[in-house]
Amino acid sequence: APEAYKANEWLKLDRIVRATIQMHLSESMYFIVQSCSTALQLWKTLSNTYKKKVVATKLYLIQCLYNR
């Protein structure tokens, strides 16, 4: 936690951020991140999940382009 915040304030802010992000997720994505205990862990999990999808989509589109 940054020095500007007390530990309990930091934990409260972290819970608020996690809840806000989780509120805006689809049910399937919620189940992927439900075990994350911090907002940072949740964010990294989402980032890694979507990066994989982006790479797979790019490969698919390249394959479609070359198969024309």
Side-chain angles (χ1 to χ4, degrees):
E3 292 74 30
Y5 295 99
K6 294 179 183 173
N8 60 342
E9 292 173 338
W10 183 258
L11 292 174
K12 182 179 178 182
L13 289 173
D14 188 76
R15 282 194 310 271
I16 291 169
V17 171
R18 275 188 293 133
T20 302
I21 294 171
Q22 289 172 336
M23 264 181 8
H24 294 87
L25 296 175
S26 66
E27 189 175 340
S28 61
M29 287 308 299
Y30 176 79
F31 286 114
I32 291 172
V33 299
Q34 71 181 357
S35 64
C36 295
S37 58
T38 66
L40 179 60
Q41 184 182 16
L42 187 149
W43 189 257
K44 286 181 178 181
T45 301
L46 287 173
S47 178
N48 289 336
T49 300
Y50 281 105
K51 280 181 186 176
K52 290 175 188 173
K53 290 183 180 183
V54 169
V55 170
T57 301
K58 284 181 182 179
L59 291 173
Y60 171 75
L61 292 173
I62 290 170
Q63 182 181 16
C64 289
L65 179 65
Y66 284 112
N67 288 336
R68 286 184 135 191

